[in-house]
């Protein structure tokens, strides 16, 4: 926590902005490769962020958890990711790994419960597994927007 007025709200806003940017990057990518994309109107849709060719797609935009070599999701988001027809992670660049990408997280992906340094529990999805497949590097303006709104762990 911080004593600076508005700083906590700024962190929440940046996470929401980062998520929206990630979803737009994925929607644009899917459109470019010829898929039919329908973005969810409700930002709190409990089943999907978008439909691609009629199938649900869940997008999580994440700064990698470098120390644990993976990506984390909140416990209340796990079922949404498991139940979606397709699940992707948009990797945002960070200080220790200056890479951005769209990663397909395939059915049967491995995950484990882990504690963050602030004590919060998250599910860790290790990136070193067959179910995590890079689909596209993100470069240029899109990468810089991800960097602008990302937070380092």
């Amino acid at each position: 926590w911080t004593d600076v007025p508005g700083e906590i709200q700024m962190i929440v806003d940046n996470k929401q902005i980062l998520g929206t940017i990630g979803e737009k990057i994925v929607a644009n990518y899917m459109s470019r490769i010829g898929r039919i994309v329908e973005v969810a109107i409700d930002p709190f849709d409990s089943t999907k962020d978008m439909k691609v060719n009629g199938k649900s797609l869940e997008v999580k935009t994440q700064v990698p958890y470098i120390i644990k070599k993976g990506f984390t999701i909140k416990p209340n988001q796990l079922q949404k990711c498991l139940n979606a027809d397709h699940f992707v992670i948009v990797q945002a660049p960070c200080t220790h790994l200056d890479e951005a990408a769209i990663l397909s997280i395939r059915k049967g992906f491995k995950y484990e419960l882990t504690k963050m340094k602030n004590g919060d529990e998250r599910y860790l999805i290790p990136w070193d597994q067959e179910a995590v497949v890079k689909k596209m590097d993100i470069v240029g303006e899109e990468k810089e927007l991800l960097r602008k709104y990302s937070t380092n762990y």
Side-chain angles (χ1 to χ4, degrees):
W1 297 92
T2 177
D3 292 332
V4 179
E7 191 162 314
I8 291 170
Q9 184 63 40
M10 179 69 93
I11 291 168
V12 171
D13 290 347
N14 279 357
K15 284 185 179 183
Q16 289 174 335
I17 292 167
L18 187 66
T20 300
I21 291 169
E23 289 171 15
K24 288 180 178 184
I25 289 170
V26 170
N28 288 344
Y29 166 74
M30 292 294 177
S31 292
R32 281 195 304 272
I33 64 171
R35 305 294 193 269
I36 297 169
V37 178
E38 181 184 338
V39 178
I41 303 300
D42 181 354
F44 302 105
D45 188 310
S46 64
T47 60
K48 65 176 179 330
D49 290 319
M50 65 186 74
K51 285 194 175 223
V52 176
N53 288 352
K55 304 263 185 177
S56 63
L57 173 66
E58 180 61 20
V59 179
K60 294 294 174 202
T61 306
Q62 298 286 316
V63 173
Y65 194 8
I66 301 295
I67 295 168
K68 301 231 178 169
K69 298 183 178 171
F71 300 94
T72 62
I73 55 175
K74 292 180 179 179
N76 68 348
Q77 296 294 303
L78 180 64
Q79 286 306 311
K80 190 175 177 185
C81 297
L82 290 171
N83 293 334
D85 293 314
H86 300 285
F87 170 33
V88 299
I89 290 178
V90 174
Q91 175 183 335
C94 63
T95 306
H96 300 290
L97 187 61
D98 187 28
E99 295 177 14
I102 296 174
L103 305 164
S104 174
I105 312 300
R106 299 201 171 142
K107 293 284 185 190
F109 66 90
K110 296 179 186 120
Y111 58 91
E112 61 194 57
L113 198 58
T114 190
K115 274 201 193 276
M116 308 299 284
K117 62 184 174 185
N118 67 1
D120 287 351
E121 288 188 331
R122 297 279 191 279
Y123 283 104
L124 176 76
I125 302 168
W127 61 53
D128 187 20
Q129 60 176 297
E130 285 185 24
V132 177
V133 179
K134 185 189 286 190
K135 302 304 277 184
M136 181 190 100
D137 285 312
I138 299 170
V139 297
E141 181 184 3
E142 291 175 339
K143 181 178 179 181
E144 293 312 310
L145 280 169
L146 289 170
R147 183 189 323 278
K148 179 177 179 180
Y149 292 102
S150 67
T151 55
N152 286 325
Y153 286 116

